[in-house]
Amino acid sequence: MTPQPKSTAPSPPPLATTTTERPAEPCPPGPTTSAKRQPAHVWPPHLALPADTEQRALLWCKVTAPDWRPSKQMLTAAEDIRVIVPAGPDFDALRTFLAQHDVPVRSADHWTEAEQVGTVGDLGGATDLVALTATAAPAAGPAAYAARDAFAAQWDALADLPANDAATHVPVADLVPEGWQELLPHPTFNPVQAAAVPAVLETDQHLTIVAPTGAGKTAIGMVAALQTHTRGRKAAWLVPQRSLTDELDRDLETWRRAGRRVVRLTGEYAVDAELIRTADLWVATTEKFEAISRTGSLRAALAEVGCLIVDEIHLLGDPTRGPVLEALLARVREDSAQVRIVGLSATVANAGQVTDWLGARLIRSPWRPTRLTWQLPLLPEAAEAPEWNVRSHARTVEAVRIARGITETGGSVLVFCGSKRGVRATALALAADRGVSTKGADPDDSELVERLCTRAGVRLHYRDW
């Protein structure tokens, strides 16, 4: 429960680089291996090539084999050794060995990435920086430096969490008026909320709140709505999808019990116009709110809106949903200088552009309520085959393997695919791996796929499903 530290490792050198000694063999391969090396890494032409070179004697390893041990020469020569291993008793002996040699080691659940990044050869000699894996060609030059920086970020993410994280939380009563506490989801504000709530309450300017998913942005929107209500005006909360109105509507049930009038507006719900007029808070999809704003009989109610809370406001840059949202916000800003816009967004690249366009103040925080670790496990060689169906099958097999390892230890998995059909095909493969007979099932038969996958504890989600 702490912001993830940023790597301060130096930048990569130009492409030209040679090794003074044959690089050490990589850490033991992961679950898939191949004797045939894949093509050499190609540096993306749009990325600049920095000039600094790595001067340290590094030996940074990600390990997936319990019997792996670095050689004595490597241990002696390296001045900076770090090892990441999977959590669990299978690696206890390796952790003990590394501790005996004063080698820092960090563990992660479900670790599957195997790689060695360093400037120390297997005989202890110095080399230029190189990254080695079991299935890809050795990476030198900028690609090796990118691998080093990725390791540094992964290493930082696995640091021990501070024991006093609760001390960074602020009691709700310290920041909001009396009586609001019962309408907010928790008795304390986390660091993201504690930074944003004063800005919501102390000014009337537009705001863009940017924080990781799960960091509590909903509570910030609630504060904005409550402040608007105390001034005798309505609030409207816009979300991009009907499914998100379900979640937000449940979060606001406490408000209804406290006598606040919350009305849900989506295309699938017919709501009495009088109920809309008398509501304190509207929860609506962007498209539904746009349609209502053009309804003449509701213009008077719209004039009472003092705050527009926009979930996922970064979708202004989305080619599908962005134009409707952009047109709506532009009209709101043009028609009324009294409507405040509070945008909520996950951590995205276009937050600054969105904020500038709104003329808003940007509040950004990296804090998240859970530890975030990440990996880039290499796919088997078949995933680079020229045939599309061979590549697709290889990716699906790897996704199923990773999912099995996580769910067998009580974890849950969310798999993203590139198409709706890919979702159904991958879900069928997961269901088959979990013991459900899917022989002959057509991925295009959505109803059948849903029945089989539900039986296996696998659910599907994509637009219109």
Side-chain angles (χ1 to χ4, degrees), residues 108-406:
D109 291 328
H110 318 300
W111 191 262
T112 63
E113 189 179 352
E115 183 182 47
Q116 178 174 307
V117 182
T119 57
V120 175
D122 53 352
L123 300 180
T127 73
D128 290 329
L129 189 68
V130 66
L132 296 156
T133 66
T135 59
Y145 283 75
R148 179 206 61 188
D149 293 346
F151 188 105
Q154 291 166 309
W155 181 263
D156 290 344
L158 293 172
D160 291 337
L161 297 176
N164 64 340
D165 186 68
T168 64
H169 287 59
V170 179
V172 165
D174 289 357
L175 296 182
V176 302
E178 185 178 356
W180 289 18
Q181 296 94 311
E182 63 183 25
L183 299 174
L184 296 172
H186 301 290
T188 61
F189 286 129
N190 66 37
V192 174
Q193 297 160 344
V197 166
V200 171
L201 297 178
E202 294 169 6
T203 73
D204 291 322
Q205 67 184 125
H206 301 322
L207 298 173
T208 306
I209 315 296
V210 179
T213 300
K217 294 185 288 294
T218 297
I220 300 170
M222 289 179 173
V223 171
L226 287 169
Q227 182 197 40
T228 302
H229 181 255
T230 59
R231 296 178 176 180
R233 307 199 68 189
K234 302 179 185 296
W237 198 317
L238 305 188
V239 297
Q241 296 174 313
R242 289 197 302 264
S243 59
L244 295 178
T245 66
D246 294 337
E247 181 179 353
L248 183 56
D249 198 57
R250 288 192 296 270
D251 291 339
L252 293 168
E253 185 58 36
T254 304
W255 290 35
R256 293 191 178 93
R257 292 197 297 267
R260 305 294 172 118
R261 293 163 295 185
V262 180
V263 174
R264 179 182 180 183
L265 306 174
T266 65
E268 58 189 354
Y269 286 91
V271 181
D272 182 84
E274 184 59 28
L275 191 58
I276 295 176
R277 292 189 189 98
T278 59
D280 299 317
L281 173 62
W282 301 341
V283 177
T285 58
T286 305
E287 291 76 10
K288 185 67 173 181
F289 189 81
E290 165 72 10
I292 289 176
S293 68
R294 296 181 181 276
T295 303
S297 61
L298 295 174
R299 289 285 174 83
L302 284 169
E304 298 178 31
V305 173
C307 182
L308 199 60
I309 304 154
V310 185
D311 237 327
E312 312 289 352
I313 197 170
H314 58 273
L315 290 177
L316 274 169
D318 182 80
T320 301
R321 296 183 176 134
V324 175
L325 179 58
E326 181 179 348
L328 174 62
L329 295 182
R331 190 167 66 253
V332 167
R333 293 169 59 204
E334 181 180 345
D335 293 347
S336 176
Q338 300 178 4
V339 179
R340 181 189 205 183
I341 298 172
V342 177
L344 309 177
S345 174
T347 305
V348 290
N350 68 339
Q353 293 175 308
V354 170
T355 302
D356 291 342
W357 183 79
L358 286 175
R361 173 184 173 186
L362 175 62
I363 298 176
R364 187 193 297 268
S365 174
W367 183 91
R368 63 175 64 245
T370 56
R371 181 197 295 278
L372 176 66
T373 61
W374 56 277
Q375 301 180 57
L376 298 171
L378 288 176
L379 291 169
E381 183 181 332
E384 301 297 328
E387 301 84 3
W388 176 87
N389 60 326
V390 175
R391 297 198 307 272
S392 177
H393 177 71
R395 290 194 297 268
T396 300
V397 168
E398 189 69 1
V400 169
R401 183 193 66 79
I402 293 173
R404 183 193 314 124
I406 295 172

Side-chain angles (χ1 to χ4, degrees), residues 410-426:
S412 59
V413 180
L414 178 61
V415 182
F416 288 87
C417 303
S419 67
K420 296 179 182 180
R421 193 177 194 279
V423 170
R424 295 190 294 267
T426 304

Side-chain angles (χ1 to χ4, degrees), residues 10-15 43 47-53 142 145 148-149:
S11 303
L15 276 169
W43 187 252
L47 296 181
L49 294 173
D52 293 342
T53 58
Y145 283 75
R148 179 206 61 188
D149 293 346

